[in-house]
Amino acid sequence: MTDLRTSPVNDGELFSERARQYAHDKALLDRLQVLEAGCGWGRGLDYGDCGHQVTGVDVDLPGLREHTRRREDLHAWHLGDLRTVPMPPRAYDVVYAPYVIERIPHAELVLDRLVASLKPGGLLLVRLRDRDTAFGFLDRTLPASVRGLLGHGRPDGSAPDEQLPPATVYEKVASRQGIRWYCMMRGLVIAEEYATRHSVTSAGAGSGLLDALCRCVAGLTRGRLTAEHSEVAFVIRKPENRYARVI
């Protein structure tokens, strides 16, 4: 099994390293096939000198479409309902899904489609804001205008003039425990899991107001809604075994 001990500096670097490592370990004869879910905002991964082909999918909104059109790293893209956009089965070595699961309805069905599009042994790289945290509670309940004053809404640290992702939905699977449950039920293997406070520490221009609110919520809920992290990142493997309980 691949040695996965590299400490992540941030999830973009972690996921880029895992994609490159996968291509190296598999000694692929063809290009690394990548599906990027949520291609309409933010940035892709760094594949180094690995030959690769990236297909993007996202919901069809004007701003997301414009951003997708400007991206030169995508070889193909499809925008529409993520329950129906083209995702051929067992076609991709890597599926990269940053800040998507918490922002879509029917999230479990979309996850099923992403997993089905992976080749056996492929990697699912997921990062999401955790609904079962103090930050997730505030993100779900505060009005958008208040969230903007606190400075959050740009989970990837993008510049103020860059396209924002769609608003959060936060279905039950959009949490640390939700992803663990999903992987257990689908026979997927969580190879790595990290919790960070990036959304809290990068918000509010360092004012600390959002952090104080999160700790207040954590205190009022006696820790049930934690302030110790705001998002989670997973490196998930689809088993090679054809008899595994996987889509």
Side-chain angles (χ1 to χ4, degrees):
M1 184 173 180
T2 303
D3 186 358
L4 297 175
R5 294 178 296 177
T6 304
S7 298
V9 176
N10 61 56
D11 291 339
E13 293 179 11
L14 168 71
F15 289 162
S16 295
E17 172 62 24
R18 294 300 172 254
R20 295 192 299 264
Q21 191 175 25
Y22 177 91
H24 177 268
D25 290 347
K26 292 292 184 179
L28 298 176
L29 298 177
D30 199 358
R31 291 176 294 180
L32 185 74
Q33 297 294 324
V34 181
L35 178 66
E36 182 178 329
C39 65
W41 66 281
R43 312 171 183 89
L45 298 177
D46 177 7
Y47 301 98
D49 59 358
C50 297
H52 61 279
Q53 179 166 327
V54 182
T55 301
V57 293
D58 210 335
V59 295
D60 192 4
L61 296 173
L64 302 184
R65 178 175 288 273
E66 181 59 30
H67 180 85
T68 300
R69 284 175 172 166
R70 292 199 306 266
R71 288 188 55 175
E72 298 180 354
D73 60 324
L74 295 178
H75 299 83
W77 49 271
H78 309 281
L79 301 184
D81 189 328
L82 291 179
R83 294 173 295 174
T84 57
V85 293
M87 295 185 198
R90 301 191 174 197
Y92 301 102
D93 301 292
V94 175
V95 172
Y96 173 48
Y99 297 110
V100 173
I101 305 306
E102 73 271 36
R103 298 182 182 278
I104 52 174
H106 314 288
E108 193 173 328
L109 174 58
V110 174
L111 268 172
D112 283 346
R113 297 199 70 215
L114 295 177
V115 172
S117 73
L118 267 178
K119 298 176 183 178
L123 294 182
L124 174 62
L125 308 175
V126 176
R127 188 180 186 188
L128 69 153
R129 288 171 162 175
D130 188 343
R131 80 184 302 276
D132 295 334
T133 62
F135 178 90
F137 172 79
L138 293 172
D139 203 22
R140 286 183 282 135
T141 57
L142 289 178
S145 58
V146 177
R147 297 201 306 271
L149 290 174
L150 291 174
H152 81 267
R154 302 179 183 274
D156 66 335
S158 57
D161 59 343
E162 291 187 32
Q163 174 63 41
L164 280 173
T168 48
V169 177
Y170 283 118
E171 293 191 349
K172 288 185 177 181
V173 73
S175 67
R176 190 175 196 173
Q177 292 302 322
I179 294 295
R180 288 174 174 175
W181 170 86
Y182 177 84
C183 290
M184 180 183 69
M185 296 301 293
R186 299 303 192 275
L188 303 170
V189 178
I190 297 177
E192 293 177 87
E193 175 184 335
Y194 300 98
T196 69
R197 303 185 77 243
H198 176 76
S199 293
V200 176
T201 56
S202 64
S207 66
L209 179 56
L210 181 56
D211 183 42
L213 283 175
C214 287
R215 296 198 180 280
C216 181
V217 170
L220 290 173
T221 61
R222 298 184 179 181
R224 182 176 63 84
L225 298 175
T226 181
E228 297 307 310
H229 73 272
S230 52
E231 58 269 313
V232 286
F234 293 91
V235 177
I236 300 167
R237 290 187 179 276
K238 182 174 182 177
E240 297 267 7
N241 188 337
R242 65 191 179 95
Y243 296 110
R245 290 181 300 133
V246 72
I247 299 166

